[in-house]
Amino acid sequence: MKKRAALLFALIACQGLAQAQDVPTLRVGWTIPGEEAKYLMAKRPELFPNLGKAYQIQWTQFQGTSPMVQAMRAKVLDCATMAPMSLANGAIESGLKAYIVAQHVHSDAGHFSVYWAVKEDSPIKTAADLKGKVIGTNAYGAGVYFDMLLWLRQNGIDPDKDVKIVETGFPPAADAIRSGRIDAGPMAQPFALLNEEKGGLRKLFSLSEVASPSVQIFEGCSQEYSDAHPDVVRAYVQDLKHAMSMMNKDPSLAVEVASQVTRAPRELLSKYLFTDKDFARVPDMQPDLDSIQKTYDRYHEAGFLKQALNVRDFYRADLREDTP
């Protein structure tokens, strides 16, 4: 009897192991900030009906969207966070083929937009006052950087001749302004809120002046992987949408998991996450293809992109359909 029980247990264990091994693994890249849907899936997987059943996830953190694009091109990732410019450069320079499957955050007139600040008592009041000054940016080649160049051009400033542009990143930008190392620098959350509460700085211009709405980051999945495993990608997208829906109804969920991931205090995060002080979010994470197309058109016209792109080449609508 004991032998039969042991044999039965072994068979059940082997069957469970085989079933676990049959669940496909999706390799997903992520970064900080703006990806609360992913944070919730990583920290609270029990909330999602498809995760662990239709697929499982191998999470890998990166320092930005450009390295994730490179990793997808090298077939190290199946899905990852992308910005319009990182996807465009990947497509043009290395032949990356990816589908835009979900939108994480965007900026518009009613929500937060990255802005440039100066000292409270700075004589810089208009774009013209920036001539001969030093301007900080988060990173050369990022979408924020290119939109800053467009704002300067639109306001009569030649970025190559009239100003000096240096990399500061977002976290050190405020200190760089206060110390005089730069005259104007970029503010993104939560650093914007921290420095608004600290005082001593004021907003000079916002990127919403260049375009509104403007998509900041979205989820992209390899076309090769998606075409071969559409059901896996659909299940993943449905879970992303479920995460966003839950957090829109209960922002404390976003605060909880964002605090775990970023180690930022909940008290700070609760002041802006999922409020009008934060980037805007689409409840069902539907990508704003028209906005992305306009970004590509602006960048191509300005000479930032070597060739024109059609955003529809990066979209497959059925990947967003409900799984059976």
Side-chain angles (χ1 to χ4, degrees):
M1 190 70 174
K2 290 183 179 179
K3 289 183 179 180
R4 288 182 181 178
L7 178 60
L8 180 60
F9 178 80
L11 288 172
I12 293 173
C14 289
Q15 183 180 14
L17 178 61
Q19 289 174 344
Q21 291 174 338
D22 287 342
V23 177
T25 297
L26 191 67
R27 300 168 300 173
V28 178
W30 64 280
T31 188
I32 297 170
E35 300 179 36
E36 286 76 21
K38 287 184 178 180
Y39 308 158
L40 186 59
M41 290 175 64
K43 296 299 182 181
R44 301 285 297 277
E46 72 278 2
L47 297 176
F48 300 92
N50 297 316
L51 186 50
K53 297 177 182 177
Y55 70 99
Q56 53 190 339
I57 294 182
Q58 176 184 310
W59 299 101
T60 304
Q61 183 179 7
F62 289 80
Q63 293 305 308
T65 60
S66 294
M68 282 188 272
V69 166
Q70 296 169 12
M72 186 175 291
R73 180 63 179 148
K75 298 185 178 181
V76 176
L77 292 177
D78 303 311
C79 297
T81 314
M82 298 179 180
M85 196 61 169
S86 58
L87 173 58
N89 282 331
I92 293 172
E93 296 175 5
S94 62
L96 174 71
K97 293 183 178 181
Y99 292 122
I100 302 169
V101 298
Q103 183 168 304
H104 289 291
V105 297
H106 67 277
S107 60
D108 61 31
H111 290 82
F112 180 82
S113 176
V114 172
Y115 67 84
W116 266 253
V118 297
K119 287 182 181 179
E120 187 78 50
D121 59 356
S122 171
I124 300 173
K125 307 290 185 181
T126 67
D129 298 329
L130 286 170
K131 286 188 175 182
K133 305 300 184 183
V134 180
I135 302 175
T137 187
N138 61 319
Y140 298 133
V144 166
Y145 167 77
F146 287 115
D147 280 347
M148 175 196 67
L149 298 186
L150 287 176
W151 184 88
L152 291 171
R153 289 183 181 183
Q154 290 171 4
N155 286 274
I157 301 296
D158 186 327
D160 298 318
K161 298 178 181 179
D162 294 336
V163 295
K164 180 180 180 180
I165 299 174
V166 298
E167 278 189 337
T168 59
F170 287 124
D175 287 342
I177 297 169
R178 290 189 173 95
S179 68
R181 290 190 291 113
I182 60 175
D183 298 291
M187 295 286 111
Q189 298 291 30
F191 315 107
L193 179 61
L194 284 170
N195 287 287
E196 287 166 8
E197 292 182 344
K198 185 174 182 178
L201 302 179
R202 60 177 168 81
K203 182 187 297 187
L204 180 63
F205 69 90
S206 167
L207 291 186
S208 61
E209 298 171 35
V210 174
S212 181
S214 177
V215 177
Q216 302 298 308
I217 53 174
F218 49 74
E219 191 71 5
C221 293
S222 158
Q223 290 191 9
E224 180 180 357
Y225 184 90
S226 300
D227 291 342
H229 309 283
D231 289 342
V232 174
V233 175
R234 287 191 193 100
Y236 173 55
V237 173
Q238 291 308 308
D239 282 344
L240 281 172
K241 291 161 63 176
H242 183 52
M244 186 64 75
S245 175
M246 285 190 290
M247 291 184 294
N248 269 297
K249 293 176 182 176
D250 183 7
S252 68
L253 275 175
V255 171
E256 175 188 338
V257 294
S259 179
Q260 292 175 12
V261 170
T262 66
R263 299 183 182 180
R266 294 188 184 189
E267 296 76 18
L268 170 64
L269 296 173
S270 63
K271 292 180 179 180
Y272 75 91
L273 271 182
F274 283 74
T275 73
D276 58 3
K277 295 180 180 180
D278 195 6
F279 285 118
R281 292 168 175 81
V282 182
D284 67 352
M285 302 185 78
Q286 173 64 46
D288 187 343
L289 299 182
D290 289 341
S291 174
I292 298 171
Q293 184 64 60
K294 289 176 182 177
T295 296
Y296 288 157
D297 293 343
R298 284 194 303 274
Y299 286 0
H300 181 244
E301 183 179 347
F304 302 153
L305 290 178
K306 298 176 183 178
Q307 67 186 61
L309 293 175
N310 185 343
V311 72
R312 293 287 172 178
D313 293 336
F314 306 104
Y315 189 67
R316 180 177 157 179
D318 68 288
L319 294 176
R320 290 186 47 82
E321 295 175 356
D322 290 344
T323 52

